[in-house]
Amino acid sequence: MKLIVTSVRIERDTDVAHARRMARVAAQSSGCSVRDQIRFATAVSEIARNALQYAGGGVAEYAFDRSGERGAKLYVRIADKGPGIDNAQRILGGRHKSQTGMGLGLSGSRKLVDEFDLQTGDGGTVVTLGLAITGESDPAALARKAAAAMSAASHESPLDELAEQNRALRDSLAQQEFLVRELHHRTKNNLAVIQSLAIMQARQLRSAEARDALETLTSRIRAFANAHNFLQRAEDVARIALNLHVEELAQQLSVAFGHDIDIVCDVEQVSVSFDTATEIGLVVNELVTNAAKHAFKNGRAGQIRIDAHVDADGLVLRVSDNGPGLDDPQTALRNTRSLGWRIVEGSARKMNSTLDVASDHGLAVTLTIPNYLSD
């Protein structure tokens, strides 16, 4: 049986804010997480704003109900007496672009809630939003708690509500950042395990070609793991300090080669997106490894440079060596069957970057990445 707690008339902008506040308070009193409170309150405020903007106002009704064995739900039913919504199903399917605002709209609100129902026609529109309650399952007990909490909240200052919303958003963001960091930490550890297994397998192989293939694989795994490692430790879980990422990779590669190759890094202190960092890591790994194997064969000494800076065209990454180079690098690399070069070309395409090759004093490969901050 549905138990109605209260209703809010929506006649002005302040009523939309009040409707949002009551939704959040009702969800909070029911034991919902901060994330659930925010998503439900956001959906309610969006539908309430639509009712005010397109129908001149309406009424938001708050209630609890229990359906079968699934537990209780918090419902907010927002009804108006407007002209109805044309092409409602097209809008819900996300195939309609609003020309009047930047809000979430019906389709966006639908994604935020656990249950969504829309009834519209000439007599008006009724939207019902539902939020599943994971703890208390008795609608009567939930209604009593919500009524008391909503009554107390109705006497609070709007500034207090704004401060509470900001605090809830900060808490939710902190929780999301923690989960993202934990995800990158576990991914890094899993990649390290895979790398260790590949190294152990390589040591047991008699074929030099097979060992070399596994060693190359482990270096590629290391490039991925390094990006996850820095993202786990970064202040911004969506950005990686490119200079630290590349310098760490260079140090690991220098140790892995084990002969007299000097790897010099001159990388600007710039942040890049995680996707860009992983692709750059692969590119640097392949180009440095290629130089070590082919430009400096048989333990020959030499230098490999990794340079990166930002200019008007984007992020410019250049990996060069002072080896013998190639007579016709464009043709040689275009015709090569090397998996490493195909990886470089594939990463360049993913980053929508230009790829240039020169061989004046050794070999130099330059990528210009226009959108290095976007995933």
Side-chain angles (χ1 to χ4, degrees):
M1 182 179 70
K2 183 170 73 171
L3 294 174
I4 299 174
V5 180
T6 190
S7 61
V8 173
R9 295 197 65 83
I10 303 167
E11 298 174 338
R12 56 183 67 87
D13 289 338
T14 54
D15 296 333
V16 174
H18 185 55
R20 175 191 173 94
R21 181 193 309 177
M22 292 299 100
R24 184 189 60 77
V25 170
Q28 183 183 49
S29 69
S30 303
C32 295
S33 67
V34 172
R35 178 177 178 275
D36 287 346
Q37 295 171 35
I38 292 173
R39 66 182 176 92
F40 189 66
T42 300
V44 168
S45 66
E46 183 68 18
I47 301 302
R49 185 176 295 107
N50 284 351
L52 179 63
Q53 181 175 357
Y54 300 113
V59 176
E61 179 185 87
Y62 299 74
F64 288 91
D65 198 1
R66 181 182 175 89
S67 55
E69 298 300 322
R70 297 182 181 179
K73 283 186 178 179
L74 167 62
Y75 289 98
V76 176
R77 178 179 178 271
I78 301 174
D80 66 57
K81 295 183 179 181
I85 303 173
D86 294 332
N87 301 318
Q89 293 306 313
R90 180 179 177 82
I91 294 173
L92 288 176
R95 300 187 300 275
H96 171 77
K97 184 176 181 180
S98 173
Q99 302 298 320
T100 59
M102 298 291 289
L104 292 171
L106 293 172
S107 60
S109 300
R110 184 184 194 180
K111 296 175 183 177
L112 292 175
V113 296
D114 299 322
E115 189 172 322
F116 184 96
D117 181 71
L118 170 68
Q119 303 294 328
T120 188
D122 294 339
T125 300
V126 178
V127 179
T128 303
L129 309 169
L131 176 66
I133 308 299
T134 56
E136 177 67 63
S137 60
D138 180 14
L142 290 167
R144 287 193 296 269
K145 291 179 183 178
M150 294 164 84
S151 176
S154 65
H155 301 293
E156 294 177 355
S157 165
L159 293 177
D160 293 337
E161 170 61 16
L162 181 60
E164 176 62 25
Q165 289 182 24
N166 290 338
R167 184 201 64 78
L169 286 169
R170 287 196 302 270
D171 290 349
S172 180
L173 179 60
Q175 182 183 35
Q176 293 300 313
E177 288 185 349
F178 170 79
L179 293 175
V180 171
R181 292 182 195 280
E182 182 65 17
L183 173 64
H184 287 294
H185 174 67
R186 295 190 181 190
T187 302
K188 178 199 70 174
N189 287 348
N190 290 338
L191 289 171
V193 170
I194 295 171
Q195 184 179 357
S196 297
L197 290 173
I199 292 173
M200 291 171 61
Q201 185 66 49
R203 289 171 179 168
Q204 297 179 10
L205 295 174
R206 295 183 179 180
S207 167
E209 183 178 355
R211 285 199 304 271
D212 184 62
L214 276 177
E215 288 172 2
T216 301
L217 174 62
T218 60
S219 69
R220 290 168 181 157
I221 295 172
R222 185 191 307 118
F224 279 110
N226 199 64
H228 284 283
N229 180 42
F230 275 102
L231 203 56
Q232 174 210 345
R233 292 152 44 187
E235 292 183 7
D236 184 347
V237 294
R239 297 283 182 264
I240 290 178
L242 182 62
N243 58 316
L244 299 179
H245 177 42
V246 172
E247 288 166 5
E248 177 71 16
L249 272 177
Q251 182 180 6
Q252 293 171 354
L253 288 167
S254 181
V255 172
F257 297 142
H259 57 86
D260 194 15
I261 295 179
D262 183 24
I263 302 178
V264 178
C265 291
D266 185 6
V267 180
E268 185 176 331
Q269 293 185 8
V270 58
S271 294
V272 299
S273 69
F274 172 68
D275 285 353
T276 300
T278 55
E279 297 300 337
I280 288 177
L282 278 176
V283 168
V284 169
N285 178 78
E286 297 304 324
L287 294 177
V288 172
T289 300
N290 183 72
K293 288 184 176 180
H294 301 291
F296 309 116
K297 293 181 179 179
N298 303 319
R300 174 186 170 186
Q303 185 184 85
I304 302 172
R305 287 192 59 88
I306 306 170
D307 299 278
H309 66 275
V310 175
D311 65 14
D313 296 322
L315 175 65
V316 180
L317 172 71
R318 186 173 186 267
V319 180
S320 59
D321 63 65
N322 62 354
L326 298 171
D327 292 335
D328 186 356
Q330 295 286 355
T331 302
L333 292 173
R334 184 171 60 250
N335 296 331
T336 184
R337 301 180 62 184
S338 164
L339 174 60
W341 183 248
R342 293 205 298 271
I343 289 174
V344 171
E345 290 182 315
S347 293
R349 285 193 298 271
K350 287 181 183 178
M351 295 185 289
N352 194 30
S353 61
T354 60
L355 180 60
D356 298 310
V357 182
S359 187
D360 296 332
H361 303 284
L363 185 67
V365 179
T366 304
L367 282 82
T368 303
I369 308 162
N371 302 314
Y372 58 93
L373 287 174
S374 60
D375 292 333

